[in-house]
Amino acid sequence: MQKIFIVIAGAAIFLGLAGCKEEEKHPVAFFVENPAERAQRLADCELQDRSADDANCVNAREAERQAASERDAKGFQSTFGKPAF
């Protein structure tokens, strides 16, 4: 009986670890330079329950924030000119 329990416990641990596929983590710069990857990651993050804990979701959101800030700055400059300060 004890041997069966050990075999079942070992199989459960093995299957649990085999199911955990570690995804490559990309830095913010990667998502800034690859808008298509950023858009795909952000769409995937919308479907995840724990996207706040996912490094790629956090980095993609930060890259989106940086890209939006850059777009806003360019729009401001095209409308009002370069700031004098």
Side-chain angles (χ1 to χ4, degrees):
M1 183 67 162
Q2 187 176 6
K3 287 182 180 183
I4 293 174
F5 176 75
I6 292 172
V7 170
I8 291 173
I13 291 171
F14 175 76
L15 291 175
L17 292 176
C20 295
K21 178 183 170 193
E22 188 65 28
E23 187 176 9
E24 182 179 359
K25 292 176 179 60
H26 297 292
V28 174
F30 171 83
F31 289 114
V32 169
E33 295 166 0
N34 299 289
E37 289 285 335
R38 179 175 69 233
Q40 180 62 46
R41 172 55 59 188
L42 290 171
D44 292 344
C45 292
E46 288 293 320
L47 302 175
Q48 289 182 0
D49 291 334
R50 302 195 58 148
S51 67
D53 297 334
D54 185 341
N56 281 330
C57 291
V58 171
N59 291 344
R61 278 193 214 91
E62 176 60 21
E64 182 66 22
R65 188 197 64 75
Q66 288 179 12
S69 178
E70 187 176 317
R71 283 190 305 269
D72 291 346
K74 286 180 181 178
F76 180 85
Q77 288 180 4
S78 69
T79 303
F80 300 107
K82 193 169 183 177
F85 51 90

